[in-house]
Amino acid sequence: MSTPTTAGFSLADEARRMRRRLIAHIEAGGTTDLVAQTQSVPASVYTDPLRFAAEQREIFGRQPLLAGLSGDLARPGDVMLFEAAGTEILLVRGHNGAVHAFLNLCRHRGARLVGDCAPRQRLTCPFHSWTYDLDGRLAGVPVGQAFDTLERAAHGLVRVPVVEWHGMIFVIARPGEETIDVERFLGPIAPLLAALEFAGATPVHADRLAVRANWKLALDSFCEPYHVPAAHPRTLAPALVPWVAIYDRFGRHQRYASPGIELKNYAGKDDAGLPEPYYQGVHSLFPNTTFTVGRLVGIGNREPFIAFYRIFPGETVGEAVALGSIYLPRGGDPATIPDLEKAHASIMHVVSSEDFVIAADSWRRLAAAPADFRLTFGRNEMLLQHNHRQIAELAGMPLDA
């Protein structure tokens, strides 16, 4: 497992290095990147309600979370609702182009302020028509004389920390005026994310799925390709070389890539004689986001795409919420959007009918497993190992607590 340099980052150079590593594994007979040892974790990591509550509080209440991309709020007055983290947050792009985030409640009597994502020039409460401008300032109160002693400047919307960075919008899902140090949070993966130019991505389609499993169990299947040959024999597996993958760690965040079946034809050939590769990979953005960048293989006609999958805790330890979305990358051909929509539907069908069915079945069995039952993450499942160690550390509950 290598640690890529982050200085002077070039997607083209990175694509060449990654392809060469994948071809080397194919030439070696189908090997894969490995870490030093396996890792064992108790089933309670997934089933303990106290651990679940600590994760909700310390991770989903304190860590930056990806709320969406800049294209989701493309113009002043565009609105987005982000509620999967448990606190309903209203995001809006102001007239000056800045993104603002607020609790979605009116300062008058606590009513839900916005119920849909239709663009608007004012934020008006449906209960008593209190009105706020796009910067969250109280702008209008019917029967104003009834509130003539009100200090209006102190009755703007309740702010939530938010930052827009290279086309990505992050929030911390609690009220506050703090500044999110996004580059510190992203660490060494920041140059890669900046190079991907998410600011130019156009939203195509998004879906929300309920999962009858713990959120980490649902997330795990996005973090390793080891399961693909057995779990996806007719959908994803035919397009990939089985059990071969490369892995990289970028501080808290990670990436893996599996070779398309066509790379078998490149074995034994010099790089100079191969076609120019395109950058592709599956990225794990801590704590709950997986995104894939590449071209459609096996589903569609190899159009470039960006797909995000975010997993959030549900109301109980055995429930989760999955948000899946697909984007047309910057410079992509809008004529390919129908193909991207079809691909998104196909991928979401695979996730819901294969991955999440297995996750739900595993959850039922783990919930009834003996107290001393343990799971094992292999040397090739290093993303899972690293994710679980980090989650346990930030939750303040060691894996064996």
Side-chain angles (χ1 to χ4, degrees):
M1 184 173 67
S2 68
T3 302
T5 178
T6 59
F9 195 90
S10 163
L11 283 178
D13 290 345
E14 187 73 352
R16 295 185 196 101
R17 285 191 292 265
M18 292 171 67
R19 184 175 68 179
R20 174 41 51 197
R21 291 167 60 196
L22 289 166
I23 292 174
H25 278 306
I26 294 172
E27 292 172 339
T31 56
T32 190
D33 280 4
L34 299 170
V35 290
Q37 59 189 16
T38 60
Q39 180 184 38
S40 172
V41 299
S44 60
V45 163
Y46 298 98
T47 62
D48 180 14
L50 294 179
R51 182 181 293 271
F52 175 72
E55 292 164 353
Q56 286 180 303
R57 181 181 64 252
E58 300 299 330
I59 296 175
F60 288 90
R62 295 184 182 276
Q63 293 297 307
L65 304 172
L66 182 70
L69 299 189
S70 295
D72 296 313
L73 294 171
R75 295 166 296 276
D78 281 357
V79 168
M80 179 169 62
L81 295 177
F82 177 65
E83 56 185 349
T87 299
E88 187 168 338
I89 297 169
L90 164 65
L91 294 106
V92 59
R93 190 173 295 281
H95 289 299
N96 65 353
V99 172
H100 304 288
F102 312 102
L103 295 184
N104 191 18
L105 83 164
C106 180
R107 290 298 296 268
H108 175 212
R109 299 262 296 276
R112 190 183 193 210
L113 186 63
V114 171
D116 61 66
C117 295
R120 61 204 73 202
Q121 298 304 306
R122 287 285 189 271
L123 306 169
T124 301
C125 179
F127 195 12
H128 294 95
S129 293
W130 278 37
T131 301
Y132 305 83
D133 66 20
L134 299 183
D135 294 330
R137 293 183 291 260
L138 182 60
V141 176
V143 193
Q145 64 270 28
F147 298 89
D148 55 6
T149 62
L150 183 71
E151 185 182 349
R152 293 200 179 193
H155 281 74
L157 297 178
V158 179
R159 292 191 173 273
V160 170
V162 62
V163 64
E164 184 175 22
W165 182 89
H166 286 278
M168 309 178 81
I169 301 172
F170 294 91
V171 300
I172 295 178
R174 67 171 189 269
E177 298 277 357
E178 68 189 89
T179 299
I180 300 175
D181 188 344
V182 68
E183 293 199 9
R184 179 179 179 185
F185 168 68
L186 294 175
I189 203 171
L192 167 58
L193 297 182
L196 289 171
E197 298 184 314
F198 288 144
T202 301
V204 172
H205 201 90
D207 280 302
R208 178 188 179 108
L209 298 175
V211 190
R212 300 182 67 84
N214 178 261
W215 73 275
K216 290 176 294 186
L217 201 57
L219 180 64
D220 285 351
S221 62
F222 287 94
C223 296
E224 46 83 6
Y226 181 47
H227 72 287
V228 170
H232 308 298
R234 290 178 295 278
T235 51
L236 302 181
L240 301 172
V241 179
W243 299 303
V244 175
I246 57 173
Y247 299 82
D248 296 292
R249 184 178 300 168
F250 302 83
R252 288 198 181 280
H253 316 289
Q254 303 177 79
R255 177 187 65 195
Y256 71 84
S258 299
I261 197 71
E262 71 277 2
L263 257 64
K264 295 179 74 172
N265 299 325
Y266 299 163
K269 296 182 179 180
D270 186 84
D271 286 352
L274 301 181
E276 189 70 13
Y278 50 85
Y279 178 81
Q280 59 181 340
V282 182
H283 309 74
S284 176
L285 193 61
F286 188 81
N288 69 323
T289 296
T290 302
F291 71 88
T292 302
V293 174
R295 295 176 184 266
L296 300 176
V297 177
I299 310 174
N301 298 309
R302 296 180 179 261
E303 292 88 358
F305 75 100
I306 306 165
F308 283 84
Y309 308 97
R310 292 170 290 162
I311 310 296
F312 294 87
E315 293 186 4
T316 70
V317 66
E319 298 175 282
V321 173
L323 305 181
S325 53
I326 193 165
Y327 295 79
L328 177 71
R330 179 177 182 174
D333 184 358
T336 66
I337 285 178
D339 287 320
L340 295 185
E341 291 175 332
K342 292 177 184 177
H344 173 78
S346 297
I347 294 169
M348 294 305 288
H349 176 71
V350 168
V351 169
S352 62
S353 65
E354 296 177 1
D355 290 303
F356 289 166
V357 168
I358 294 174
D361 184 65
S362 297
W363 161 253
R364 289 191 297 270
R365 296 171 193 280
L366 291 176
D372 60 350
F373 186 84
R374 301 182 71 87
L375 298 84
T376 301
F377 300 143
R379 294 174 59 204
N380 61 335
E381 296 175 304
M382 59 279 279
L383 270 78
L384 275 67
Q385 293 192 28
H386 190 47
N387 274 348
H388 281 268
R389 285 195 297 266
Q390 291 186 101
I391 291 167
E393 175 188 348
L394 288 175
M397 298 184 69
L399 286 175
D400 283 304

